[in-house]
Amino acid sequence: MRAFLRAALLTLAVVPVAGAQAPPPPSPALPVGQIVDKVVTQSNPSESYALYLPSSYKPGRTWPILYAFDARSDGKRVAERFRAGAEKFGYIVASSNNSASDGPNAPNVSAMRAMWADTHARFAVDDRRIYAAGFSGTVRFACNMALTAPGTITGIIGAGAGFPFETKPRKDNPFLFFGTVGDRDFNYYEVLDLAGDLSALGLPHRIELWPGPHDWMPEELATEALGWMELHAMQGGLREKDPALIAELWAWDLAHGKALEATGLVDAQRLYAGMARDYAGLTKPETVAEIAAKASGIEAQAAFVKERKERQERNQRDKEYLARAPKALSSMDVTQAVADLRIYELKRKSKSDDLQESLSAKRLLNTILGQTSHYLPEVFTAQGQHDRTIFVLSIAAEIVPDSPEVWLSLAEAHARKGAKKKAIETLRKAVDKGLADPARVEADEAFAPLRQEKGYQELLAAMRKKPEGSGS
């Protein structure tokens, strides 16, 4: 795969060279200051991207660019997350409508090749300042791309994931990394472990937590990520130092750190220690020394030591649970698997008054749910193992019994197995839980064997009579 990526990158219309700048092309016939949902690439009409040009854009100078890769090809959604930051800091955003996670990297390589060629043909891009953003599996793709062609990607903004599974950071890592992860994200442990690895190597990075599940970061964090890249561009001489901007970013970070002190000393200490690195050479040495001393002072506090110990023990306990989970999922006994996975105990703990215990339980449930509702069914269905698909989806239904999507997937599995009566019964359950899109059901090829069945036809007729968006 790495050889393929290298070959793909080297066949781009413009091969970047560290320190080089592309000559400014003519002004684009595209609007500035607003998101264009779909720009079809000139080199490949099957590829397109959502575009944001900052309102200050003019081709008389070169501009940093952010290439974004959504896990589900929703380029506009991602461009919207980065719009405020791109406007504030002057970034071009090109967000693919063809990227994907959890599968071969070929679609993402094709998307990058097409976006690269198109944006370099249309816009004045600063090849010293190429950034990439990804979510989940596309973070790994971005890291792999940057590692395969060192010097191509200056920085990566990762949401909900870190480096490729087989790759650990090294001292000579060729890109900056700004990572975010939700406090209920099933990749929470991975991202925090990455923070430790990057810190141990002394590599410039920032890891930010936010209250949420496995998803792109909120807009304010996306803006912070671009601001952090600006700090390092000034630190590395890739843009002129701007004292007013440095002061503004310092104030943001300081306020954020003070807020964290009230909720988590470990996170506050990590931020302050990062600030000492991030602002070195940009602000007064005594100011940097003060923030470094603040980080050290917090680290010496008994409350910090206690919190860090509790967090480490909780995270280790959770990792051990996850290491045991595959064995529980290897049986075909739903009742036993649910007991072994402690699903009901975790559901109770998820409602605990102890916030950290509640979040821990939610992360574990989200991890098992992700495996049993998406990843494993996809694998087993492709292998034709319909009974195993039904088994894991039945566990998912115990975790989220009111999810119409899980019941729909179960109905599809029963239909593929040939259990028509059970498929119709389960599809009715999905409708009772809120599935209200008869056109979607009719277009679902998994239900082709049911189309002549009376129960299926009656169910569709009942769905058509319901007001749009209604449940049972």
Side-chain angles (χ1 to χ4, degrees):
M1 176 55 69
R2 289 186 178 183
F4 175 50
L5 278 167
R6 181 183 296 278
L9 285 167
L10 293 178
T11 56
L12 294 172
V14 177
V15 179
V17 179
Q21 290 185 329
S27 297
L30 288 163
V32 299
Q34 66 184 68
I35 293 174
V36 180
D37 296 356
K38 185 175 182 180
V39 177
V40 177
T41 66
Q42 299 169 85
S43 63
N44 185 350
S46 67
E47 296 281 351
S48 70
Y49 57 94
L51 171 71
Y52 185 76
L53 290 174
S55 57
S56 56
Y57 177 83
K58 289 181 175 57
R61 69 171 181 86
T62 54
W63 299 73
I65 189 167
L66 177 72
Y67 292 108
F69 302 89
D70 184 51
R72 299 291 179 265
S73 307
D74 193 343
K76 180 184 178 183
R77 174 174 177 249
V78 184
E80 287 171 340
R81 299 288 170 107
F82 286 99
R83 176 179 182 166
E87 178 66 18
K88 179 175 181 61
F89 301 116
Y91 279 68
I92 302 169
V93 176
S95 180
S96 175
N97 290 320
N98 303 91
S99 55
S101 183
D102 308 329
N105 268 331
N108 300 326
V109 173
S110 178
M112 181 59 170
R113 290 176 64 185
M115 287 196 299
W116 183 289
D118 201 73
T119 52
H120 278 76
R122 293 178 190 266
F123 312 120
V125 174
D126 185 346
D127 277 331
R128 304 170 308 162
R129 302 196 58 201
I130 306 289
Y131 302 91
F135 164 51
S136 197
T138 61
V139 183
R140 307 188 203 286
F141 161 72
C143 291
N144 212 346
M145 179 170 58
L147 290 166
T148 302
T152 303
I153 307 296
T154 305
I156 289 172
I157 300 171
F163 280 43
F165 290 118
E166 74 281 5
T167 304
K168 294 281 279 185
R170 299 184 348 183
K171 188 71 175 177
D172 61 350
N173 191 62
F175 57 87
L176 303 164
F177 189 84
F178 187 106
T180 68
V181 66
D183 59 10
R184 302 192 301 278
D185 192 326
F186 49 74
N187 283 337
Y188 171 90
Y189 311 98
E190 171 199 341
V191 176
L192 286 194
D193 285 348
L194 175 60
D197 292 341
L198 293 169
S199 293
L201 291 168
L203 293 171
H205 71 281
R206 184 170 290 188
I207 302 295
E208 290 282 7
L209 309 181
W210 62 279
H214 187 59
D215 200 354
W216 282 98
M217 73 291 288
E219 180 185 285
E220 58 269 24
L221 261 186
T223 301
E224 180 186 331
L226 291 179
W228 186 80
M229 294 298 177
E230 289 300 286
L231 279 176
H232 284 273
M234 289 186 279
Q235 207 173 51
L238 298 180
R239 62 157 289 177
E240 290 185 7
K241 292 181 181 179
D242 181 339
L245 178 57
I246 293 167
E248 181 181 4
L249 293 173
W250 176 270
W252 283 8
D253 282 340
L254 198 58
H256 183 33
K258 288 179 178 177
L260 286 175
E261 285 187 59
T263 59
L265 290 175
V266 171
D267 297 327
Q269 189 276 338
R270 185 173 65 243
L271 175 61
Y272 290 143
M275 288 174 67
R277 294 189 302 267
D278 299 336
Y279 290 89
L282 298 179
T283 190
K284 295 177 181 178
E286 56 268 30
T287 304
V288 173
E290 284 174 8
I291 205 69
K294 189 172 183 64
S296 298
I298 291 175
E299 196 170 12
Q301 292 179 23
F304 170 89
V305 174
K306 180 176 182 289
E307 181 189 324
R308 181 174 60 184
K309 182 174 183 289
E310 289 176 349
R311 178 181 290 195
Q312 290 172 340
E313 290 175 347
R314 183 182 298 111
N315 288 354
Q316 184 59 36
R317 179 197 68 195
D318 290 353
K319 290 176 186 177
E320 290 171 358
Y321 167 92
L322 293 173
R324 294 190 302 269
K327 183 177 179 181
L329 293 171
S330 66
S331 74
M332 289 292 286
D333 185 331
V334 174
T335 301
Q336 186 61 51
V338 167
D340 290 344
L341 291 167
R342 307 193 338 255
I343 297 300
Y344 297 125
E345 177 189 339
L346 289 173
K347 290 178 79 169
R348 286 193 298 272
K349 284 178 65 176
S350 72
K351 299 174 183 177
S352 169
D353 291 335
D354 184 325
L355 176 61
Q356 296 307 318
E357 283 298 305
S358 171
L359 290 173
S360 165
K362 288 173 181 176
R363 286 193 292 270
L364 295 179
L365 286 170
N366 285 343
T367 304
I368 301 304
L369 179 62
Q371 290 295 321
T372 57
S373 68
H374 177 67
Y375 294 107
L376 291 174
E378 191 174 77
V379 170
F380 294 142
T381 298
Q383 295 172 345
Q385 297 189 57
H386 303 307
D387 283 333
R388 294 210 67 84
T389 302
I390 291 166
F391 165 66
V392 292
L393 283 169
S394 297
I395 295 171
E398 296 291 336
I399 299 172
V400 283
D402 293 326
S403 167
E405 293 297 324
V406 169
W407 290 106
L408 175 63
S409 296
L410 259 173
E412 291 171 335
H414 285 298
R416 291 189 183 103
K417 181 183 175 183
K420 296 180 180 179
K421 182 177 179 181
K422 189 67 174 177
I424 293 169
E425 174 188 317
T426 311
L427 182 58
R428 183 172 289 110
K429 187 95 169 181
V431 173
D432 290 342
K433 297 297 182 182
L435 179 65
D437 187 350
R440 177 183 176 187
V441 174
E442 287 180 288
D444 193 329
E445 284 303 310
F447 297 133
L450 308 182
R451 287 171 183 160
Q452 303 307 313
E453 298 293 319
K454 181 180 178 183
Y456 174 81
Q457 293 172 353
E458 290 174 347
L459 186 55
L460 276 178
M463 288 178 72
R464 293 189 193 101
K465 290 179 182 178
K466 288 185 178 182
E468 187 175 348
S470 68
S472 58

